[in-house]
Amino acid sequence: QEARLAELQKQIRALEATANKLPEFQREVQALEARLETLKRILPPEKEMPDLMRRVQYLAAQSSLNIKKFNPAAVSQKDFYVEVPINLDVEGTYHNLGAFLDRVSRMSRLVNVGNVKIKAQSKPTITSTISASAVAMTYVYKDAPPPVQAQKGKRPSPGAKR
């Protein structure tokens, strides 16, 4: 019984040491949750897509660009996120396009603008000297699917995936 008592006291000391670290673990969890919130602003959930599209359209208008085409394209599924491309065709001036790209780069949301093709207008005006097409790629965080729980009273078969 003395050996059992010594073993139990050893376990108690180990558990007390772990319990003493609880505040440190709680601070670490808070820091990680704050980081997750920051990352979710950069890579938000899908429900914010309409707002993002309005924002990009607003930035184009604010940059004095005339939007000719604004079409979301087929999404691409990745491990923990989804790529959402938006095809853009705009007309304006070279400097207006630069202002638009600068404004997009300052968004808190991650948006990459690529495949930019710029052409001179066949009949330029003071407010429209170029036409440009581009793909604005944004990303949506995919929450992990909830774990499948066994139905009440039934146990999963040994070969079943969990």
Side-chain angles (χ1 to χ4, degrees):
Q1 285 187 349
E2 285 182 15
R4 173 114 171 93
L5 177 63
E7 180 63 32
L8 289 174
Q9 287 175 339
K10 182 179 173 185
Q11 286 178 358
I12 288 171
R13 282 191 297 278
L15 291 173
E16 284 174 342
T18 302
N20 290 338
K21 291 182 180 180
L22 182 61
E24 180 183 336
F25 291 144
Q26 288 172 332
R27 282 191 302 277
E28 187 175 338
V29 166
Q30 286 177 337
L32 290 172
E33 285 175 345
R35 176 112 170 100
L36 178 61
E37 288 306 311
T38 300
L39 292 174
K40 280 186 175 181
R41 278 196 302 276
I42 295 170
L43 198 69
E46 191 167 359
K47 64 185 176 190
E48 295 181 18
M49 280 306 296
D51 182 51
L52 171 71
M53 290 181 178
R54 281 191 295 278
R55 180 83 194 258
V56 170
Q57 287 175 325
Y58 172 75
L59 292 176
Q62 190 179 28
S63 303
S64 300
L65 290 175
N66 185 13
I67 300 171
K68 293 297 183 180
K69 182 173 94 174
F70 189 89
N71 294 334
V75 299
S76 176
Q77 301 284 333
K78 301 296 181 186
D79 289 338
F80 63 92
Y81 65 95
V82 177
E83 291 180 338
V84 182
I86 301 168
N87 296 316
L88 291 169
D89 285 351
V90 296
E91 291 180 351
T93 67
Y94 186 78
H95 294 289
N96 293 350
L97 179 62
F100 169 69
L101 294 174
D102 179 57
R103 286 181 171 116
V104 169
S105 75
R106 294 172 192 256
M107 292 176 66
S108 63
R109 169 93 188 238
L110 181 60
V111 178
N112 291 332
V113 179
N115 297 335
V116 179
K117 295 181 179 96
I118 302 172
K119 296 188 308 190
Q121 294 282 37
S122 56
K123 295 182 182 178
T125 65
I126 291 176
T127 59
S128 181
T129 58
I130 63 163
S131 63
S133 64
V135 176
M137 183 75 71
T138 188
Y139 307 89
V140 175
Y141 176 71
K142 214 171 34 171
D143 281 325
V148 179
Q149 296 178 352
Q151 292 179 357
K152 201 172 191 178
K154 293 186 180 180
R155 300 182 83 152
S157 61
K161 288 184 179 179
R162 295 180 189 192

